[in-house]
Amino acid sequence: MKKYLLLLAVVFSLNGFSQWGANINFVSYTIKAEIGVEGATVSDSEDYSGFSLGLDYGFKMDNLKLVAGLSADFVDVEGDNETIITPSVMVKYPISDVIGVKGGFSLPTWDVDDGDGIKASILHLPLGLDYSLSEKVSLTAQYSIALGNRFKGDVDFSSDELKITDNNLRFGIHFNF
């Protein structure tokens, strides 16, 4: 573990630009369940919204900016407050002086019981835009696509196939320190 931390410190120290940041976002999760029954698919979805607080650390590599972040989403799910912890790694590419596109990977982690048959974490593909208001403040928009199935498959549904995803959308403001 010490070797990885040392390597990470060396990579960050060789870089001329590095920056801490914080963000606050409105988030909306769409939980979608699809059941395949004899060639037909039945689906249902529910939307849950809340807000998110996050911290990140970014550094530039030529024109790209690599950003590692951690956020906590606070979402109201049927009267219960759920906290979703999401580590992420994103690459941001400027397409103009004020607009940047970003993409990467994230791992939203829900607090679930083992007996529910639901995975706590699945990999997501977040894609987004940044609009810089100044050097320190930018507006952000991001859509995150689930790349897997949250259903573990431990429960027998005979010939039925169940797929559960949790795509999310977020809008907010980002501050650089």
Side-chain angles (χ1 to χ4, degrees):
M1 182 69 177
K2 289 180 185 179
K3 292 178 186 179
Y4 293 118
L5 291 175
L6 181 61
L7 177 62
L8 198 58
V10 168
V11 168
F12 287 143
S13 67
L14 293 176
N15 182 6
F17 170 88
S18 59
Q19 193 166 47
W20 285 97
N23 59 58
I24 185 166
N25 298 296
F26 163 79
V27 293
S28 177
Y29 280 83
T30 300
I31 310 296
K32 184 176 182 180
E34 295 179 348
I35 301 173
V37 181
E38 297 176 7
T41 302
V42 178
S43 66
D44 189 24
S45 63
E46 293 285 332
D47 294 326
Y48 303 104
S49 60
F51 72 97
S52 171
L53 300 172
L55 291 173
D56 58 49
Y57 184 78
F59 60 95
K60 282 192 177 180
M61 299 182 308
D62 291 328
N63 240 2
L64 297 176
K65 182 177 179 184
L66 181 64
V67 180
L70 183 66
S71 67
D73 301 344
F74 303 97
V75 180
D76 180 26
V77 178
E78 299 174 359
D80 290 333
N81 292 322
E82 294 285 334
T83 302
I84 303 154
I85 304 298
T86 307
S88 63
V89 175
M90 304 278 285
V91 174
K92 182 179 170 186
Y93 180 77
I95 58 175
S96 76
D97 289 342
V98 293
I99 298 175
V101 294
K102 60 184 179 178
F105 293 101
S106 64
L107 193 66
T109 304
W110 292 68
D111 183 23
V112 297
D113 293 330
D114 285 340
D116 289 346
I118 304 295
K119 295 176 187 173
S121 302
I122 61 171
L123 192 62
H124 276 232
L125 175 67
L127 304 168
L129 290 171
D130 284 349
Y131 181 81
S132 297
L133 300 173
S134 70
E135 190 175 308
K136 298 287 184 188
V137 179
S138 61
L139 299 176
T140 62
Q142 178 178 301
Y143 186 72
S144 186
I145 303 164
L147 296 177
N149 184 359
R150 281 209 182 268
F151 182 65
K152 287 183 184 178
D154 295 341
V155 181
D156 182 24
F157 278 96
S158 62
S159 63
D160 300 347
E161 184 178 320
L162 179 62
K163 181 177 183 181
I164 299 173
T165 58
D166 63 342
N167 298 344
N168 63 73
L169 178 67
R170 60 186 67 228
F171 298 100
I173 190 163
H174 185 267
F175 303 96
N176 291 320
F177 303 115

